[in-house]
PDB file of all heavy atoms in Angstrom:
ATOM      1  N   GLY S  64       6.515 -80.613 -30.591  1.00 79.00           N
ATOM      2  CA  GLY S  64       5.401 -79.932 -29.929  1.00 79.00           C
ATOM      3  C   GLY S  64       4.671 -79.060 -30.965  1.00 79.00           C
ATOM      4  O   GLY S  64       5.172 -78.647 -32.032  1.00 79.00           O
ATOM      5  N   ASP S  65       3.486 -78.678 -30.560  1.00 80.00           N
ATOM      6  CA  ASP S  65       2.621 -77.787 -31.424  1.00 80.00           C
ATOM      7  C   ASP S  65       2.433 -76.406 -30.764  1.00 80.00           C
ATOM      8  O   ASP S  65       1.988 -76.270 -29.657  1.00 80.00           O
ATOM      9  CB  ASP S  65       1.184 -78.453 -31.557  1.00 80.00           C
ATOM     10  CG  ASP S  65       0.297 -77.704 -32.503  1.00 80.00           C
ATOM     11  OD1 ASP S  65       0.550 -76.551 -32.764  1.00 80.00           O
ATOM     12  OD2 ASP S  65      -0.749 -78.313 -32.827  1.00 80.00           O
ATOM     13  N   LEU S  66       2.959 -75.370 -31.552  1.00 82.00           N
ATOM     14  CA  LEU S  66       3.031 -74.045 -30.957  1.00 82.00           C
ATOM     15  C   LEU S  66       1.637 -73.521 -30.577  1.00 82.00           C
ATOM     16  O   LEU S  66       1.483 -72.650 -29.687  1.00 82.00           O
ATOM     17  CB  LEU S  66       3.659 -73.076 -31.989  1.00 82.00           C
ATOM     18  CG  LEU S  66       3.894 -71.674 -31.507  1.00 82.00           C
ATOM     19  CD1 LEU S  66       4.720 -71.596 -30.273  1.00 82.00           C
ATOM     20  CD2 LEU S  66       4.490 -70.860 -32.695  1.00 82.00           C
ATOM     21  N   SER S  67       0.548 -74.121 -31.159  1.00 84.00           N
ATOM     22  CA  SER S  67      -0.757 -73.578 -30.933  1.00 84.00           C
ATOM     23  C   SER S  67      -1.194 -74.005 -29.428  1.00 84.00           C
ATOM     24  O   SER S  67      -2.206 -73.539 -28.952  1.00 84.00           O
ATOM     25  CB  SER S  67      -1.746 -74.216 -31.863  1.00 84.00           C
ATOM     26  OG  SER S  67      -1.866 -75.687 -31.732  1.00 84.00           O
ATOM     27  N   ASN S  68      -0.416 -74.850 -28.774  1.00 82.00           N
ATOM     28  CA  ASN S  68      -0.674 -75.256 -27.404  1.00 82.00           C
ATOM     29  C   ASN S  68      -0.200 -74.130 -26.410  1.00 82.00           C
ATOM     30  O   ASN S  68      -0.527 -74.262 -25.267  1.00 82.00           O
ATOM     31  CB  ASN S  68       0.008 -76.549 -27.045  1.00 82.00           C
ATOM     32  CG  ASN S  68      -0.676 -77.737 -27.686  1.00 82.00           C
ATOM     33  OD1 ASN S  68      -1.945 -77.740 -27.959  1.00 82.00           O
ATOM     34  ND2 ASN S  68       0.113 -78.768 -28.135  1.00 82.00           N
ATOM     35  N   LEU S  69       0.520 -73.111 -26.940  1.00 86.00           N
ATOM     36  CA  LEU S  69       0.817 -71.931 -26.114  1.00 86.00           C
ATOM     37  C   LEU S  69      -0.306 -70.954 -26.397  1.00 86.00           C
ATOM     38  O   LEU S  69      -0.605 -70.511 -27.544  1.00 86.00           O
ATOM     39  CB  LEU S  69       2.093 -71.318 -26.557  1.00 86.00           C
ATOM     40  CG  LEU S  69       2.507 -69.957 -25.897  1.00 86.00           C
ATOM     41  CD1 LEU S  69       2.616 -70.159 -24.419  1.00 86.00           C
ATOM     42  CD2 LEU S  69       3.758 -69.444 -26.536  1.00 86.00           C
ATOM     43  N   LEU S  70      -1.073 -70.555 -25.384  1.00 85.00           N
ATOM     44  CA  LEU S  70      -2.263 -69.714 -25.568  1.00 85.00           C
ATOM     45  C   LEU S  70      -2.052 -68.274 -25.284  1.00 85.00           C
ATOM     46  O   LEU S  70      -2.976 -67.538 -25.128  1.00 85.00           O
ATOM     47  CB  LEU S  70      -3.308 -70.256 -24.533  1.00 85.00           C
ATOM     48  CG  LEU S  70      -3.611 -71.706 -24.663  1.00 85.00           C
ATOM     49  CD1 LEU S  70      -4.720 -72.118 -23.637  1.00 85.00           C
ATOM     50  CD2 LEU S  70      -4.060 -72.189 -26.111  1.00 85.00           C
ATOM     51  N   LEU S  71      -0.711 -67.857 -25.341  1.00 84.00           N
ATOM     52  CA  LEU S  71      -0.391 -66.479 -25.125  1.00 84.00           C
ATOM     53  C   LEU S  71       0.298 -65.846 -26.287  1.00 84.00           C
ATOM     54  O   LEU S  71       1.076 -66.567 -26.932  1.00 84.00           O
ATOM     55  CB  LEU S  71       0.473 -66.380 -23.761  1.00 84.00           C
ATOM     56  CG  LEU S  71      -0.097 -66.800 -22.454  1.00 84.00           C
ATOM     57  CD1 LEU S  71       1.005 -66.749 -21.443  1.00 84.00           C
ATOM     58  CD2 LEU S  71      -1.292 -65.829 -22.070  1.00 84.00           C
ATOM     59  N   SER S  72       0.106 -64.569 -26.507  1.00 83.00           N
ATOM     60  CA  SER S  72       0.873 -63.831 -27.507  1.00 83.00           C
ATOM     61  C   SER S  72       2.198 -63.395 -26.851  1.00 83.00           C
ATOM     62  O   SER S  72       2.360 -63.549 -25.595  1.00 83.00           O
ATOM     63  CB  SER S  72       0.140 -62.571 -27.967  1.00 83.00           C
ATOM     64  OG  SER S  72       0.006 -61.669 -26.890  1.00 83.00           O
ATOM     65  N   GLU S  73       3.098 -62.867 -27.665  1.00 80.00           N
ATOM     66  CA  GLU S  73       4.363 -62.428 -27.149  1.00 80.00           C
ATOM     67  C   GLU S  73       4.151 -61.340 -26.091  1.00 80.00           C
ATOM     68  O   GLU S  73       4.891 -61.329 -25.050  1.00 80.00           O
ATOM     69  CB  GLU S  73       5.229 -61.901 -28.328  1.00 80.00           C
ATOM     70  CG  GLU S  73       6.681 -61.597 -27.907  1.00 80.00           C
ATOM     71  CD  GLU S  73       7.527 -61.249 -29.116  1.00 80.00           C
ATOM     72  OE1 GLU S  73       7.179 -61.659 -30.272  1.00 80.00           O
ATOM     73  OE2 GLU S  73       8.499 -60.440 -28.954  1.00 80.00           O
ATOM     74  N   LYS S  74       3.214 -60.391 -26.348  1.00 87.00           N
ATOM     75  CA  LYS S  74       3.006 -59.307 -25.456  1.00 87.00           C
ATOM     76  C   LYS S  74       2.406 -59.913 -24.137  1.00 87.00           C
ATOM     77  O   LYS S  74       2.684 -59.378 -23.019  1.00 87.00           O
ATOM     78  CB  LYS S  74       2.081 -58.267 -26.048  1.00 87.00           C
ATOM     79  CG  LYS S  74       2.663 -57.445 -27.081  1.00 87.00           C
ATOM     80  CD  LYS S  74       1.718 -56.321 -27.555  1.00 87.00           C
ATOM     81  CE  LYS S  74       2.392 -55.417 -28.640  1.00 87.00           C
ATOM     82  NZ  LYS S  74       1.505 -54.315 -29.069  1.00 87.00           N
ATOM     83  N   GLN S  75       1.506 -60.852 -24.210  1.00 88.00           N
ATOM     84  CA  GLN S  75       0.850 -61.423 -22.941  1.00 88.00           C
ATOM     85  C   GLN S  75       1.908 -62.184 -22.217  1.00 88.00           C
ATOM     86  O   GLN S  75       1.908 -62.164 -20.922  1.00 88.00           O
ATOM     87  CB  GLN S  75      -0.271 -62.370 -23.414  1.00 88.00           C
ATOM     88  CG  GLN S  75      -1.490 -61.665 -23.890  1.00 88.00           C
ATOM     89  CD  GLN S  75      -2.458 -62.619 -24.495  1.00 88.00           C
ATOM     90  OE1 GLN S  75      -2.195 -63.608 -25.129  1.00 88.00           O
ATOM     91  NE2 GLN S  75      -3.777 -62.404 -24.171  1.00 88.00           N
ATOM     92  N   LEU S  76       2.859 -62.844 -22.832  1.00 86.00           N
ATOM     93  CA  LEU S  76       4.020 -63.488 -22.093  1.00 86.00           C
ATOM     94  C   LEU S  76       4.755 -62.475 -21.354  1.00 86.00           C
ATOM     95  O   LEU S  76       5.125 -62.683 -20.171  1.00 86.00           O
ATOM     96  CB  LEU S  76       4.927 -64.111 -23.161  1.00 86.00           C
ATOM     97  CG  LEU S  76       4.601 -65.597 -23.605  1.00 86.00           C
ATOM     98  CD1 LEU S  76       5.481 -65.916 -24.789  1.00 86.00           C
ATOM     99  CD2 LEU S  76       4.736 -66.544 -22.478  1.00 86.00           C
ATOM    100  N   GLU S  77       5.155 -61.346 -21.978  1.00 85.00           N
ATOM    101  CA  GLU S  77       5.849 -60.232 -21.338  1.00 85.00           C
ATOM    102  C   GLU S  77       5.138 -59.726 -20.156  1.00 85.00           C
ATOM    103  O   GLU S  77       5.729 -59.428 -19.068  1.00 85.00           O
ATOM    104  CB  GLU S  77       6.178 -59.155 -22.320  1.00 85.00           C
ATOM    105  CG  GLU S  77       7.076 -58.127 -21.838  1.00 85.00           C
ATOM    106  CD  GLU S  77       7.491 -57.011 -22.901  1.00 85.00           C
ATOM    107  OE1 GLU S  77       7.261 -57.372 -24.093  1.00 85.00           O
ATOM    108  OE2 GLU S  77       7.786 -55.906 -22.557  1.00 85.00           O
ATOM    109  N   ALA S  78       3.846 -59.572 -20.277  1.00 88.00           N
ATOM    110  CA  ALA S  78       2.921 -58.948 -19.206  1.00 88.00           C
ATOM    111  C   ALA S  78       2.914 -59.938 -17.965  1.00 88.00           C
ATOM    112  O   ALA S  78       2.884 -59.482 -16.802  1.00 88.00           O
ATOM    113  CB  ALA S  78       1.546 -58.744 -19.728  1.00 88.00           C
ATOM    114  N   LYS S  79       3.057 -61.245 -18.206  1.00 86.00           N
ATOM    115  CA  LYS S  79       3.119 -62.190 -17.130  1.00 86.00           C
ATOM    116  C   LYS S  79       4.505 -62.505 -16.583  1.00 86.00           C
ATOM    117  O   LYS S  79       4.680 -63.282 -15.691  1.00 86.00           O
ATOM    118  CB  LYS S  79       2.464 -63.513 -17.595  1.00 86.00           C
ATOM    119  CG  LYS S  79       0.978 -63.427 -17.843  1.00 86.00           C
ATOM    120  CD  LYS S  79       0.381 -64.681 -18.113  1.00 86.00           C
ATOM    121  CE  LYS S  79      -1.251 -64.600 -18.245  1.00 86.00           C
ATOM    122  NZ  LYS S  79      -1.792 -64.255 -16.915  1.00 86.00           N
ATOM    123  N   GLY S  80       5.491 -61.691 -17.100  1.00 88.00           N
ATOM    124  CA  GLY S  80       6.857 -62.014 -16.672  1.00 88.00           C
ATOM    125  C   GLY S  80       7.441 -63.339 -17.049  1.00 88.00           C
ATOM    126  O   GLY S  80       8.264 -63.795 -16.345  1.00 88.00           O
ATOM    127  N   ALA S  81       6.962 -63.833 -18.221  1.00 91.00           N
ATOM    128  CA  ALA S  81       7.350 -65.219 -18.606  1.00 91.00           C
ATOM    129  C   ALA S  81       8.118 -65.151 -19.905  1.00 91.00           C
ATOM    130  O   ALA S  81       7.937 -64.160 -20.688  1.00 91.00           O
ATOM    131  CB  ALA S  81       6.142 -66.125 -18.756  1.00 91.00           C
ATOM    132  N   THR S  82       8.960 -66.162 -20.127  1.00 90.00           N
ATOM    133  CA  THR S  82       9.697 -66.277 -21.400  1.00 90.00           C
ATOM    134  C   THR S  82       9.247 -67.569 -22.031  1.00 90.00           C
ATOM    135  O   THR S  82       8.569 -68.396 -21.508  1.00 90.00           O
ATOM    136  CB  THR S  82      11.182 -66.245 -21.187  1.00 90.00           C
ATOM    137  OG1 THR S  82      11.530 -67.286 -20.175  1.00 90.00           O
ATOM    138  CG2 THR S  82      11.663 -64.951 -20.686  1.00 90.00           C
ATOM    139  N   PHE S  83       9.739 -67.694 -23.343  1.00 91.00           N
ATOM    140  CA  PHE S  83       9.284 -68.869 -24.089  1.00 91.00           C
ATOM    141  C   PHE S  83      10.523 -69.354 -24.906  1.00 91.00           C
ATOM    142  O   PHE S  83      11.240 -68.603 -25.559  1.00 91.00           O
ATOM    143  CB  PHE S  83       8.119 -68.596 -25.073  1.00 91.00           C
ATOM    144  CG  PHE S  83       7.899 -69.672 -26.075  1.00 91.00           C
ATOM    145  CD1 PHE S  83       7.200 -70.847 -25.722  1.00 91.00           C
ATOM    146  CD2 PHE S  83       8.327 -69.554 -27.426  1.00 91.00           C
ATOM    147  CE1 PHE S  83       6.917 -71.821 -26.642  1.00 91.00           C
ATOM    148  CE2 PHE S  83       8.094 -70.589 -28.331  1.00 91.00           C
ATOM    149  CZ  PHE S  83       7.377 -71.740 -27.968  1.00 91.00           C
ATOM    150  N   TYR S  84      10.716 -70.717 -24.995  1.00 87.00           N
ATOM    151  CA  TYR S  84      11.783 -71.264 -25.764  1.00 87.00           C
ATOM    152  C   TYR S  84      11.378 -72.575 -26.500  1.00 87.00           C
ATOM    153  O   TYR S  84      10.616 -73.416 -25.836  1.00 87.00           O
ATOM    154  CB  TYR S  84      12.990 -71.630 -24.860  1.00 87.00           C
ATOM    155  CG  TYR S  84      13.662 -70.428 -24.321  1.00 87.00           C
ATOM    156  CD1 TYR S  84      13.459 -70.130 -22.929  1.00 87.00           C
ATOM    157  CD2 TYR S  84      14.493 -69.686 -25.064  1.00 87.00           C
ATOM    158  CE1 TYR S  84      14.023 -69.050 -22.389  1.00 87.00           C
ATOM    159  CE2 TYR S  84      15.164 -68.525 -24.457  1.00 87.00           C
ATOM    160  CZ  TYR S  84      14.963 -68.270 -23.161  1.00 87.00           C
ATOM    161  OH  TYR S  84      15.466 -67.198 -22.545  1.00 87.00           O
ATOM    162  N   LYS S  85      11.741 -72.710 -27.663  1.00 87.00           N
ATOM    163  CA  LYS S  85      11.535 -74.021 -28.431  1.00 87.00           C
ATOM    164  C   LYS S  85      12.813 -74.754 -28.244  1.00 87.00           C
ATOM    165  O   LYS S  85      13.852 -74.277 -28.637  1.00 87.00           O
ATOM    166  CB  LYS S  85      11.186 -73.747 -29.841  1.00 87.00           C
ATOM    167  CG  LYS S  85      10.828 -75.079 -30.568  1.00 87.00           C
ATOM    168  CD  LYS S  85      10.241 -74.832 -31.937  1.00 87.00           C
ATOM    169  CE  LYS S  85       9.997 -76.062 -32.740  1.00 87.00           C
ATOM    170  NZ  LYS S  85       9.023 -76.944 -32.086  1.00 87.00           N
ATOM    171  N   ILE S  86      12.848 -75.979 -27.714  1.00 84.00           N
ATOM    172  CA  ILE S  86      14.048 -76.601 -27.306  1.00 84.00           C
ATOM    173  C   ILE S  86      14.129 -77.998 -27.947  1.00 84.00           C
ATOM    174  O   ILE S  86      13.191 -78.467 -28.707  1.00 84.00           O
ATOM    175  CB  ILE S  86      14.094 -76.634 -25.788  1.00 84.00           C
ATOM    176  CG1 ILE S  86      12.982 -77.522 -25.163  1.00 84.00           C
ATOM    177  CG2 ILE S  86      14.060 -75.347 -25.181  1.00 84.00           C
ATOM    178  CD1 ILE S  86      13.101 -77.717 -23.784  1.00 84.00           C
ATOM    179  N   ASN S  87      15.217 -78.727 -27.610  1.00 79.00           N
ATOM    180  CA  ASN S  87      15.569 -79.960 -28.327  1.00 79.00           C
ATOM    181  C   ASN S  87      15.278 -81.202 -27.503  1.00 79.00           C
ATOM    182  O   ASN S  87      15.884 -82.316 -27.673  1.00 79.00           O
ATOM    183  CB  ASN S  87      17.072 -79.897 -28.709  1.00 79.00           C
ATOM    184  CG  ASN S  87      17.961 -79.674 -27.510  1.00 79.00           C
ATOM    185  OD1 ASN S  87      17.484 -79.503 -26.391  1.00 79.00           O
ATOM    186  ND2 ASN S  87      19.305 -79.891 -27.740  1.00 79.00           N
ATOM    187  N   ARG S  88      14.292 -81.101 -26.632  1.00 81.00           N
ATOM    188  CA  ARG S  88      13.920 -82.392 -25.868  1.00 81.00           C
ATOM    189  C   ARG S  88      12.645 -82.950 -26.596  1.00 81.00           C
ATOM    190  O   ARG S  88      12.078 -82.288 -27.452  1.00 81.00           O
ATOM    191  CB  ARG S  88      13.581 -81.990 -24.410  1.00 81.00           C
ATOM    192  CG  ARG S  88      12.402 -81.089 -24.264  1.00 81.00           C
ATOM    193  CD  ARG S  88      11.671 -81.084 -22.947  1.00 81.00           C
ATOM    194  NE  ARG S  88      10.880 -79.956 -22.746  1.00 81.00           N
ATOM    195  CZ  ARG S  88       9.575 -79.913 -23.224  1.00 81.00           C
ATOM    196  NH1 ARG S  88       9.102 -80.847 -23.970  1.00 81.00           N
ATOM    197  NH2 ARG S  88       8.844 -78.830 -22.971  1.00 81.00           N
TER     198      ARG S  88
END
Side-chain angles (χ1 to χ4, degrees):
D65 186 344
L66 185 57
S67 67
N68 290 325
L69 174 64
L70 307 179
L71 295 174
S72 68
E73 190 174 333
K74 286 186 177 180
Q75 288 172 320
L76 275 170
E77 187 176 338
K79 290 186 175 293
T82 53
F83 169 78
Y84 295 101
K85 187 169 176 60
I86 63 173
N87 59 352
R88 61 160 170 79

